[in-house]
Amino acid sequence: MKGSGEMAVKPMNPIIDQLARPMRDLRISVTDRCNFRCTYCMPKEFFGDDYAFMSKDQLLSLEEITRLAELYASLGIRKIRLTGGEPLLRRGLPELVKMLSSIRGIEDIGCTTNGLLLGQQAQNLYDAGLRRMNVSLDALDPDLFGKINGRGITSSTILRNIELADEIGFQVKVNMVVQKGINEQEILPMADYFKKMGITLCFIEFMDAGNSNDWSLERGVTKQDIFERLGGANVLVPVPPRYPGEVAQRFRYKDGQAEVGFISSVSDAFCSSCTRVRLSSDGKIYNCLFASKGFDLRALLRGGASDEELLAAIRKTWEQREDRYSEERTEYTAKNRKKIGMSYIGG
């Protein structure tokens, strides 16, 4: 099986981990590079101009990614999200989308991006079969946004590309990481802006992903706080989950159809329903965003492993999974546990 889209193995019964959680969502990081230096993800102090990113031969090829995705689909994966780094920096991304779209059993493919390159690539990605796009944007204020992304890129550039993607036909969602003392004053302007556009805005609590973003509980703004700032139950009504294991809690404005969402990994952890597995751009699998180590599938792939051998490794890693970091998080674990970086594995 080399990315043909034809299954070389028969679909198996869904597998579950030690906490009876099925495997349904595969997040694929296609590159560790990014053209932003966001303070909560890739701060310039750690990712300077001389930072050594992965070489081409270290990255999984498009064919290798597709082969693994096919195997995961046979074990119950139904949703794929392409991440990074910044995934739009990966050459051949539209080709990869085409290859993944042909896999039997995959029902949905999305992509998370900072939006800077959307103007150049949105149409090609849409033509390849991509339909959902999550765009990260943490402020409307151009100076503040430029400071947060570490490159001086203004919000107008990203907003223009969001509008373009929406016009092309993408189902667009905007993600906003909220930090106390940094951009909490942008909550209401952002909500109003995207409500008028009819685009869902998802508020993400500031998380202790990786070890370089100087996280603390005091720097976070909780889901409940944001909910109340938006007007609470007087303005928003809950929307039922679209599928089991949906991470974001969604609400609809009472006076329209626009929605907001909340990802509350810190104040209201959802480990018990997490169905996500993550594949790094160099071929390691991680069963948690806050994991300390992964399992090297690239070594098996390039060592000539058969599909059956790869499947056995994938099954074993998931069946042994007992990760529930967010439910166990403390200030001590946040600061002292070594975790994979957000830019390395994707959000």
Side-chain angles (χ1 to χ4, degrees):
M1 176 179 8
K2 298 294 182 183
S4 64
E6 294 297 325
M7 293 300 303
V9 291
K10 294 181 179 180
M12 300 180 179
N13 292 328
I15 58 176
I16 59 173
D17 68 7
Q18 294 293 303
L19 300 178
R21 297 170 294 190
M23 184 171 62
R24 287 287 182 269
D25 307 89
L26 175 62
R27 294 206 151 202
I28 302 173
S29 175
V30 296
T31 180
D32 63 328
R33 298 174 184 269
C34 188
N35 40 16
F36 279 9
R37 289 296 180 269
C38 296
T39 53
Y40 57 82
C41 182
M42 294 181 71
K44 288 185 288 188
E45 295 79 6
F46 293 89
F47 296 87
D49 293 337
D50 59 346
Y51 185 82
F53 290 100
M54 293 180 199
S55 60
K56 182 178 179 181
D57 65 304
Q58 290 177 291
L59 301 176
L60 291 179
S61 68
L62 304 187
E63 292 76 16
E64 288 172 328
I65 291 173
T66 303
R67 182 183 179 193
L68 291 178
E70 288 174 333
L71 294 174
Y72 269 104
S74 76
L75 294 173
I77 288 293
R78 294 295 172 261
K79 295 167 62 66
I80 290 176
R81 176 165 295 281
L82 302 174
T83 69
E86 170 48 46
L88 271 61
L89 288 173
R90 177 66 189 259
R91 289 186 178 182
L93 192 64
E95 181 183 353
L96 177 61
V97 170
K98 287 182 181 179
M99 295 163 72
L100 296 175
S101 297
S102 70
I103 297 175
R104 192 181 312 165
I106 297 302
E107 300 168 355
D108 179 83
I109 301 176
C111 180
T112 298
T113 173
N114 61 33
L116 184 60
L117 299 178
L118 262 182
Q120 304 170 29
Q121 299 191 31
Q123 189 64 59
N124 287 339
L125 288 167
Y126 190 87
D127 293 344
L130 191 66
R131 292 294 180 268
R132 292 197 305 111
M133 193 73 72
N134 286 20
V135 182
S136 300
L137 181 68
D138 297 319
L140 290 180
D141 181 271
D143 294 331
L144 175 59
F145 181 64
K147 182 178 179 181
I148 292 173
N149 66 53
R151 294 299 198 205
I153 304 298
T154 64
S155 53
S156 60
T157 301
I158 311 304
L159 292 170
R160 189 163 54 245
N161 288 341
I162 288 172
E163 185 174 353
L164 172 65
D166 185 48
E167 291 173 351
I168 287 173
F170 281 103
Q171 179 184 337
V172 180
K173 183 171 74 174
V174 174
N175 292 334
M176 177 186 181
V177 176
V178 185
Q179 300 179 68
K180 187 174 295 183
I182 302 295
N183 65 336
E184 58 187 322
Q185 71 278 11
E186 292 287 297
I187 291 172
L188 292 180
M190 288 276 288
D192 183 60
Y193 187 95
F194 290 106
K195 178 185 177 183
K196 290 176 180 177
M197 286 191 69
I199 288 177
T200 297
L201 173 61
C202 189
F203 297 99
I204 301 176
E205 292 182 346
F206 179 42
M207 296 180 290
D208 56 317
N211 295 93
S212 60
N213 66 0
D214 195 29
W215 180 89
S216 69
L217 278 172
E218 289 71 27
R219 290 186 61 193
V221 182
T222 68
K223 174 193 71 176
Q224 188 60 36
D225 187 7
I226 300 170
F227 181 78
E228 294 301 330
R229 291 184 188 219
L230 295 176
N234 293 323
V235 173
L236 300 168
V237 293
V239 177
R242 289 168 293 192
Y243 53 87
E246 183 174 18
V247 170
Q249 293 179 297
R250 297 185 297 127
F251 293 81
R252 178 179 55 80
Y253 289 101
K254 286 184 177 181
D255 61 355
Q257 295 302 310
E259 294 185 3
V260 292
F262 301 89
I263 296 180
S264 52
S265 170
V266 178
S267 69
D268 188 15
F270 40 82
C271 299
S272 61
S273 60
C274 179
T275 61
R276 294 181 176 185
V277 59
R278 291 171 165 82
L279 176 66
S280 69
S281 50
D282 61 345
K284 294 184 178 66
I285 50 175
Y286 295 86
N287 291 327
C288 179
L289 177 60
F290 305 96
S292 298
K293 60 181 180 179
F295 181 84
D296 192 353
L297 282 179
R298 188 188 65 186
L300 291 178
L301 271 172
R302 297 183 180 178
S306 67
D307 286 343
E308 289 69 25
E309 290 170 325
L310 289 166
L311 283 168
I314 292 169
R315 287 183 68 96
K316 183 177 180 180
T317 58
W318 187 265
E319 289 174 345
Q320 292 179 342
R321 177 191 191 229
E322 52 186 9
D323 302 81
R324 55 187 192 94
Y325 174 81
S326 290
E327 293 179 347
E328 301 173 323
R329 176 192 287 107
T330 65
E331 287 274 7
Y332 179 83
T333 60
K335 292 185 178 299
N336 294 280
R337 172 172 166 168
K338 183 174 175 59
K339 302 181 290 291
I340 51 171
M342 177 79 80
S343 62
Y344 171 71
I345 198 61

